[in-house]
Amino acid sequence: MEVFLIRLLQFMLAISLLVLLHEGGHFFFSKLFGVRVEKFYLFFDPWFHLFEFKPKNSDTAYGVGWLPLGGYCKIAGMIDESFDTEQMKKPQQPWEFRSKPAWQRLLIMIGGVLVNFLLALFIYSMVMYHWGDEYVAVKDMSMGWKFNQTAKNIGFQDHDILLGADGKTFERYDVDVFRHIADAKTVQVKRNGKLLDITMPDDLSLLTMLQEQPQFCRPFVPAEIDSVMPQTPAAQLGLKKGDKILAINGKPVDSWNEFTGQIGVLQDMMTDAKTHQDSIKLRTVSLVYSHADNVDTAQVVLSPELLLGVGQTTIYTYYKPTKLTYSFFGSFPAGIKYGLNILRGYVNDLKYVATADGAKSLGGFGAIGSLFPPVWDWMMFWRMTAFLSIILAFMNILPIPALDGGHVLFLLYEIITGRKPSENFMIKAEYVGFTILILLMVVANLNDILRWLGYM
């Protein structure tokens, strides 16, 4: 429950900040061009609100709604998600959105996206300035990588050292490594001191690479115990820091990859457990481990969540990370480059959304919340906030009615052709776009529920 509350608090804080600044972008340009803003709300307020305040001599009511699905800035004389058609039947007023030149209306509509995009680059820059950039260089991973059966069928072997793809050198261990491998024609590796080119198939999918258990490839990390949690199966067994897991249920283990893979097998089998006795039987595993230079075998009952209760060593245990620091002004080029690379990768991955596996991988609020760390970590919080800000900017600029991008599309049509779409058309388009968004939201959050129930 504590982990859930920490993630929920981080998620709510990040989303509230992003929504307020996004709507603030619309608000700023509206005020700049003399357009009246009737409401400025964090969260939605169907039927009632939690708080509302209207300053004296102000046209704008500021408030907080009860439905935490975003927020809105109600601009006078504009067809938006409020579907205020009565206002549109009245004569145009000089302070309304619809009475302004198309270029001013365009700036008002892209204001939110612009703020979110610039905010993300600013946050990344400040993260670089305050914490620097730390990563493990792929070239330093001298123990090589572990590969699953799909990768081995292509030609990879355990302990191959990844060098690059299509002549481009891998720099850091992150998702870009998987992206480059998925798109590559050849991948360069070092095997037993020799350089080799591995020819890649045309149908390799990044989504499949990341979803397979075990994953397509992971840095080789010996199954060495880093720590033991008290009052856990590992503590009861007497495992200590530095002990190594050698086998589980008769399956050899030389890295945490195999151990995690075998736990995954047990998780699949647990779905068929009908009784408590069935569960205990499946959770009782045979463990071979090295302990104080001796090899021991023992039966141990894993926790109901199939946890042994040990902290695993990581690549940072064996490799010295590359640490980059930046001056205040030097952090901006680094932050901008990092943010643009995040955006580029996200846009590239959108091609998978149209596939069946891609649709299943869509996540709602639960999936987004789970991206935040289980403990409060300011660096990770700001990185996640920046990531969500870039995603919010990109998604909002998509040419879907009811999104900012839909309004931008119609405004560009008006600027190019000199003809404004009819209000009746705009209202119908808004309904269509709103329906699409609701359906996407239902699918994404239904996926979260199905994953939580173990059906996906």
Side-chain angles (χ1 to χ4, degrees):
M1 177 58 76
E2 181 181 356
V3 169
F4 170 78
L5 291 176
I6 290 174
R7 281 179 164 154
L8 177 64
L9 182 58
Q10 291 179 86
F11 173 70
M12 294 300 295
L13 179 59
I15 290 298
S16 298
L17 175 66
L18 297 181
V19 168
L20 283 172
L21 291 176
H22 176 92
E23 300 303 332
H26 296 306
F27 184 89
F28 170 78
F29 282 105
S30 295
K31 290 295 186 180
L32 181 65
F33 299 129
V35 176
R36 185 172 296 176
V37 177
E38 298 175 352
K39 279 188 172 185
F40 186 91
Y41 258 68
L42 173 65
F43 306 151
F44 295 115
D45 62 331
W47 304 296
F48 67 94
H49 54 260
L50 300 179
F51 167 80
E52 185 176 274
F53 170 70
K54 188 173 184 179
K56 187 177 180 180
N57 300 323
S58 173
D59 299 316
T60 307
Y62 303 87
V64 178
W66 62 271
L67 188 60
L69 299 180
Y72 69 98
C73 181
K74 190 176 186 308
I75 300 172
M78 175 183 167
I79 298 171
D80 57 14
E81 61 274 11
S82 67
F83 301 109
D84 186 1
T85 56
E86 292 301 318
Q87 183 184 62
M88 306 305 293
K89 295 176 182 178
K90 300 176 182 178
Q92 286 190 21
Q93 300 297 326
W95 36 262
E96 287 187 327
F97 176 83
R98 55 181 169 169
S99 68
K100 300 299 178 179
W103 68 270
Q104 291 186 3
R105 285 180 278 135
L106 181 63
L107 286 175
I108 291 172
M109 290 318 306
I110 66 173
V113 168
L114 182 63
V115 166
N116 280 135
F117 182 67
L118 294 178
L119 174 67
L121 298 183
F122 177 75
I123 292 175
Y124 279 132
S125 298
M126 291 300 95
V127 168
M128 295 292 185
Y129 171 65
H130 187 77
W131 287 284
D133 191 13
E134 184 174 290
Y135 63 92
V136 174
V138 175
K139 64 181 178 60
D140 293 338
M141 295 182 179
S142 55
M143 290 187 292
W145 294 60
K146 289 289 292 187
F147 298 89
N148 68 8
Q149 194 56 50
T150 301
K152 290 177 180 177
N153 291 340
I154 294 172
F156 292 97
Q157 293 182 12
D158 287 343
H159 299 289
D160 280 353
I161 300 174
L162 293 174
L163 300 178
D166 292 339
K168 184 176 181 179
T169 303
F170 294 137
E171 180 182 354
R172 63 175 73 202
Y173 168 51
D174 59 16
V175 72
D176 280 344
V177 171
F178 296 89
R179 287 195 183 104
H180 293 321
I181 291 176
D183 296 336
K185 296 185 182 300
T186 59
V187 174
Q188 294 75 47
V189 303
K190 181 186 286 187
R191 182 182 300 165
N192 300 323
K194 297 181 179 179
L195 302 182
L196 298 172
D197 282 346
I198 296 177
T199 302
M200 302 300 295
D202 295 329
D203 59 348
L204 189 62
S205 164
L206 171 66
L207 202 60
T208 303
M209 291 173 64
L210 296 177
Q211 287 181 339
E212 284 182 336
Q213 291 298 328
Q215 284 186 354
F216 186 88
C217 61
R218 301 290 288 176
F220 177 84
V221 178
E224 182 177 348
I225 295 172
D226 181 68
S227 59
V228 177
M229 289 71 166
Q231 299 179 342
T232 61
Q236 295 168 6
L237 189 60
L239 294 177
K240 304 292 184 183
K241 176 182 174 66
D243 291 351
K244 291 184 178 180
I245 309 297
L246 304 178
I248 179 172
N249 282 345
K251 302 293 183 180
V253 169
D254 70 347
S255 76
W256 287 117
N257 302 72
E258 283 94 352
F259 182 83
T260 302
Q262 290 306 310
I263 295 298
V265 171
L266 290 177
Q267 288 173 336
D268 292 339
M269 296 171 65
M270 284 289 286
T271 60
D272 295 326
K274 299 290 191 285
T275 65
H276 180 67
Q277 288 73 19
D278 292 339
S279 174
I280 292 292
K281 184 177 180 180
L282 288 172
R283 286 160 45 202
T284 303
V285 300
S286 173
L287 206 65
V288 180
Y289 58 98
S290 64
H291 179 75
D293 296 327
N294 296 317
V295 176
D296 295 325
T297 302
Q299 298 286 318
V300 59
V301 180
L302 302 178
S303 74
E305 297 80 17
L306 296 179
L307 299 177
L308 179 59
V310 297
Q312 302 179 1
T313 52
T314 69
I315 54 176
Y316 290 97
T317 307
Y318 305 98
Y319 303 118
K320 183 179 179 180
T322 299
K323 175 75 174 182
L324 302 177
T325 57
Y326 299 93
S327 66
F328 179 77
F329 292 106
S331 67
F332 287 97
I336 291 170
K337 179 182 178 182
Y338 187 88
L340 292 178
N341 187 59
I342 292 290
L343 177 61
R344 190 182 305 113
Y346 180 78
V347 173
N348 180 69
D349 296 344
L350 282 180
K351 61 188 176 185
Y352 298 109
V353 174
T355 66
D357 287 339
K360 292 179 182 178
S361 69
L362 288 175
F365 299 115
I368 297 172
S370 67
L371 295 175
F372 287 92
V375 295
W376 197 279
D377 183 324
W378 278 112
M379 184 183 73
M380 290 303 299
F381 169 79
W382 286 117
R383 280 185 179 274
M384 273 304 307
T385 302
F387 174 72
L388 292 178
S389 192
I390 272 191
I391 302 311
L392 183 61
F394 179 78
M395 295 301 294
N396 261 284
I397 206 61
L398 291 176
I400 300 174
L403 290 178
D404 295 343
H407 292 281
V408 168
L409 178 66
F410 297 135
L411 283 166
L412 290 176
Y413 168 82
E414 180 184 344
I415 291 172
I416 294 170
T417 65
R419 292 180 297 174
K420 183 187 294 188
S422 69
E423 292 181 357
N424 185 50
F425 170 81
M426 294 291 288
I427 291 171
K428 290 180 179 178
E430 194 77 13
Y431 275 113
V432 170
F434 194 74
T435 301
I436 293 173
L437 295 180
I438 292 296
L439 288 174
L440 286 174
M441 188 177 297
V442 169
V443 169
N445 285 283
L446 181 60
N447 284 349
D448 284 352
I449 295 172
L450 292 176
R451 276 190 284 266
W452 181 66
L453 294 174
Y455 290 106
M456 289 182 64

